[in-house]
Amino acid sequence: MNKIVSKKQLSADVWQMEITAPHIVEEHKAGQFLIVQVDREWGERIPLTIADADATTGAVTVVFQAVGASTMKLSRFEVGDEVPAVLGPLGQPSEIENYGRVVLCGGGIGVAPVHPIAQAMKAAGNHVTGILAARNRDLLIFEEQMRKACDEVIICTDDGSYGRKALVTEPLRELCENPDTRPDRVIAIGPPVMMKFCAATTLPFNIPTIVSLNTIMIDGTGMCGGCRVSIGGKTRFVCVDGPDFDGHQVDWDNMLKRMRAYRPAEDAARARERDHACRLQAAAAALAAGKEAH
């Protein structure tokens, strides 16, 4: 049922897929996510934010980076393959209102989940500025989509290969300091460290700043407690209370520590999956060579 209808490689390890999921398309709202499982019998459940949805085809768009064992497996799926399990929409939708001026900061693959929020914020009547950041030009994604959704787009790259040579916090601070461009709301999605410093940048200006957390997650329904975070000194669960939270209230150090808890197991699983992928490639090459010999 959950068939892959398109697949596109956006950069070295980043993939975009459209997966048929009519029930999710019908019910989802900006900011929500889904969980996929790539093994039919058992396996890791991967939370992926919905980057887009097409009511005509009944397909949701997800963007992911093949850095772990499960995302590496998913990246080998092809058009026509079926994803064994797709659950969603999950989480609380982003709060969409006419705030006035809204700045959306997207870092790396975080630009993809920023996209539907930009669309919704623009439809609500806001002036929307997008700040897109990547290490270099080749890793920048969704630029065209964001230019269509925003009134203004600022691009930053770490190496200066495209746009400004700056971190996302530099233009964000400039917008906050200028009374004519001071945002009424900031939303940041990307690596945890990036979101942490976006929140730190807006704190002196007392500008509400929302971050979308992507913590360790298992069931996605609030039962396992694996995604718990501390928000303003209170325990919250990303899968049911989030993923959006007040960036000024997040205990970032605690969250980053919890996200590193399974690093050794993740590294071992990644190594096994890479070894398996190499064996598959070698077998395919040997088979192709045998056919050519005949």
Side-chain angles (χ1 to χ4, degrees):
M1 179 181 178
N2 303 120
K3 186 175 292 186
I4 297 172
V5 295
S6 75
K7 176 185 178 182
K8 181 179 180 182
Q9 188 167 8
L10 301 182
S11 64
D13 296 316
V14 178
W15 298 87
Q16 174 182 313
M17 285 183 177
E18 285 185 274
I19 305 171
T20 55
H23 61 292
I24 296 178
V25 172
E26 184 178 349
E27 299 292 337
H28 96 287
K29 293 181 174 61
Q32 290 185 295
F33 65 96
L34 51 79
I35 282 182
V36 302
Q37 185 172 318
V38 298
D39 295 295
R40 191 167 298 279
E41 299 298 328
W42 60 274
E44 182 183 13
R45 295 155 63 90
I46 317 167
L48 299 173
T49 306
I50 300 168
D52 208 346
D54 190 330
T56 304
T57 63
V60 292
T61 299
V62 294
V63 175
F64 62 94
Q65 189 171 12
V67 292
S70 296
T71 47
M72 289 168 69
K73 289 179 184 177
L74 182 59
S75 71
R76 294 201 297 272
F77 280 44
E78 299 296 342
V79 172
D81 291 342
E82 290 191 1
V83 180
V86 179
L87 174 67
L90 300 171
Q92 300 298 319
S94 297
E95 293 182 358
I96 306 296
E97 297 179 14
N98 188 341
Y99 298 102
R101 303 187 71 91
V102 175
V103 174
L104 303 172
C105 304
I109 62 171
V111 176
V114 160
H115 174 245
I117 299 174
Q119 291 177 310
M121 286 294 188
K122 182 62 180 175
N126 294 282
H127 179 281
V128 180
T129 298
I131 306 177
L132 317 185
R135 292 198 304 274
N136 57 59
R137 181 170 188 163
D138 292 339
L139 298 179
L140 185 70
I141 65 171
F142 268 58
E143 178 186 355
E144 182 180 348
Q145 293 92 324
M146 287 296 291
R147 289 196 182 278
K148 291 179 180 178
C150 299
D151 296 285
E152 174 190 16
V153 170
I154 301 169
I155 295 176
C156 302
T157 51
D158 292 356
D159 64 356
S161 56
Y162 190 46
R164 295 178 55 172
K165 184 178 181 180
L167 299 177
V168 66
T169 50
E170 185 175 314
L172 176 59
R173 180 179 295 106
E174 291 170 0
L175 292 172
C176 294
E177 290 173 340
N178 187 339
D180 295 330
T181 60
R182 176 189 169 98
D184 298 291
R185 195 172 186 87
V186 171
I187 298 173
I189 305 179
V193 171
M194 175 217 126
M195 294 189 289
K196 174 183 178 179
F197 283 101
C198 282
T201 299
T202 60
L203 183 60
F205 301 96
N206 197 31
I207 297 172
T209 301
I210 304 301
V211 296
S212 180
L213 303 184
N214 187 13
T215 54
I216 294 169
M217 202 173 292
I218 300 175
D219 61 83
T221 61
M223 293 189 293
C224 74
C227 66
R228 66 184 182 273
V229 290
S230 178
I231 309 294
K234 297 181 180 179
T235 298
R236 294 289 183 264
F237 299 99
V238 172
C239 66
V240 291
D241 299 319
D244 290 357
F245 293 98
D246 181 344
H248 298 152
Q249 297 294 315
V250 176
D251 184 336
W252 293 102
D253 292 339
N254 176 268
M255 191 189 87
L256 289 167
K257 181 179 179 180
R258 284 183 53 77
M259 291 182 70
R260 291 192 294 266
Y262 298 99
R263 185 68 56 80
E266 291 169 351
D267 290 343
R270 185 183 302 112
R272 289 194 299 271
E273 186 58 32
R274 282 178 176 161
D275 182 61
H276 178 62
C278 288
R279 291 199 302 270
L280 289 176
Q281 290 175 352
L287 180 61
K291 289 181 178 179
E292 289 177 1
H294 287 83

